[in-house]
Amino acid sequence: MSRETTRLRSPLVEIDDINLESVDVSRLQPVGQRAPLGAYVRSLWDRRHFIVADSRARAFSGNRDTLLGNAWLVGRPILDGLAYFVIFGVVLGASRGVDNFIGFLLVGVFMFSFTSRCLTDGAGVMASGKNLIRAFSFPRAAIPIALVLRETISMLPVMATMFVMVVAIPPHATITWRWALFPLVFALQVMFNAGLVFYAARITSAIPDLRMVLGFVSRFWLYGSGVMFSLDRFITHPTVLEIVQFNPAYCVLELSRDLLVYGQTPELTLWLTLGAWAVATPVLGFLYFWQAEEDYGRE
């Protein structure tokens, strides 16, 4: 340019005599380029209020087009539990040898549904946010984080219903001091789910067809986590049983049942296993997601 200054006009603002030579070009970055990890995390923290507000606004909007609305948040797992009770508890006799099978089943269905929804919704979260990604510059990890927070908020009335049902439906569970430990289990589950969403979001963003595969994985995981029946009854080989018990969903269910249904202190192994999953999965999942930051939103 022949002139050292220029005049910029826009419908919103008018800025006179900007000296272009005073701009430090070395500090400018291409739009969409992956920021260093430290700067990326700080940018996410700066947008925490938006993430929380967006999650709260969307938490109870998923069923607004139905007649019963948000009642389906509770109604669907209740119907699932009823179906599983008839098939596995009555027809197949899986309730034999299981104390308080109704409470056992309710905790399994309600708690596993939380992880299952995070996995399946995480598979499509980047595709649904593609327009937002193209319109604004922001850390893409905000999208899966908002999803996990939204599902967590939606889970609160579901858990309240679960508490009431395990106490009210015979044989009644007894409220003990161990119930105070349940929020820790739920917090560990939320952390694990966050890592799961990061993995699902990046994988399905690169290969959309894997969304169909993850639906199958979710169903297979349900049967392999002892949601409807006790795994001890069907798996007799000790090595195979130990491998199955390393499953984080199994740990969540066993810890929750011990605390809420049976009023007993869970084994330390369950706490340690779930704790390891809850730390490693979100940290590694976040790094895995961050590495593909520049690819999200592209055709």
Side-chain angles (χ1 to χ4, degrees):
M1 297 180 62
S2 59
R3 298 179 58 189
E4 294 184 359
T5 60
T6 186
R7 183 180 180 87
L8 301 182
R9 297 180 183 273
S10 74
L12 300 179
V13 67
E14 182 176 304
I15 305 176
D16 293 330
D17 298 332
I18 296 179
N19 192 338
L20 297 181
E21 292 185 353
S22 65
V23 178
D24 187 359
V25 181
S26 63
R27 300 187 65 180
L28 299 179
Q29 294 183 354
V31 176
Q33 187 179 58
R34 184 181 68 189
L37 183 59
Y40 189 81
V41 174
R42 288 193 297 271
S43 182
L44 271 174
W45 177 252
D46 291 340
R47 290 164 173 80
R48 64 190 183 279
H49 299 296
F50 168 76
I51 295 174
V52 173
D54 179 72
S55 301
R56 293 177 60 183
R58 296 172 181 262
F60 302 107
S61 63
N63 299 303
R64 61 186 174 185
D65 294 331
T66 61
L67 293 176
L68 296 180
N70 292 322
W72 283 113
L73 289 173
V74 176
R76 182 171 180 178
I78 289 177
L79 292 177
D80 287 340
L82 180 61
Y84 295 145
F85 175 77
V86 173
I87 295 173
F88 290 93
V90 178
V91 177
L92 298 180
S95 61
R96 291 194 295 268
V98 179
D99 295 334
N100 194 350
F101 180 74
I102 293 179
F104 176 95
L105 182 62
L106 286 172
V107 171
V109 172
F110 277 67
M111 296 301 293
F112 184 83
S113 67
F114 178 37
T115 296
S116 178
R117 285 199 312 273
C118 286
L119 176 62
T120 54
D121 291 351
V125 68
M126 301 310 293
S128 62
K130 185 174 293 186
N131 292 334
L132 185 65
I133 292 173
R134 292 174 175 174
F136 301 99
S137 177
F138 64 97
R140 309 314 190 204
I143 296 179
I145 291 175
L147 169 64
V148 176
L149 183 56
R150 182 168 72 244
E151 290 296 339
T152 302
I153 296 172
S154 299
M155 188 65 182
L156 297 180
V158 176
M159 288 193 303
T161 303
M162 180 183 70
F163 296 153
V164 173
M165 294 182 70
V166 297
V167 172
I169 299 177
H172 312 280
T174 303
I175 299 177
T176 68
W177 65 267
R178 294 177 179 85
W179 280 49
L181 298 177
F182 176 76
L184 177 57
V185 178
F186 183 63
L188 294 175
Q189 186 183 18
V190 171
M191 293 170 60
F192 170 75
N193 289 355
L196 205 63
V197 170
F198 282 130
Y199 279 111
R202 177 177 172 180
I203 292 173
T204 55
S205 178
I207 309 175
D209 290 359
L210 288 180
R211 298 175 199 167
M212 307 301 175
V213 177
L214 287 180
F216 167 78
V217 170
S218 179
R219 290 192 296 272
F220 183 82
W221 198 7
L222 179 141
Y223 293 111
S225 300
V227 174
M228 298 85 63
F229 49 82
S230 175
L231 294 177
D232 297 342
R233 179 180 174 185
F234 297 95
I235 301 178
T236 57
H237 196 286
T239 303
V240 176
L241 185 60
E242 288 181 1
I243 295 174
V244 172
Q245 290 174 345
F246 190 66
N247 172 4
Y250 171 85
C251 295
V252 170
L253 301 189
E254 287 298 297
L255 287 167
S256 301
R257 286 163 175 162
D258 284 346
L259 296 174
L260 302 178
V261 179
Y262 301 119
Q264 61 187 24
T265 303
E267 297 179 0
L268 180 60
T269 304
L270 293 172
W271 289 107
L272 296 177
T273 302
L274 181 58
W277 279 107
V279 173
T281 307
V283 171
L284 298 179
F286 178 81
L287 294 175
Y288 179 70
F289 182 91
W290 166 72
Q291 289 175 346
E293 178 76 7
E294 300 173 358
D295 299 331
Y296 302 123
R298 296 181 179 179
E299 290 290 345

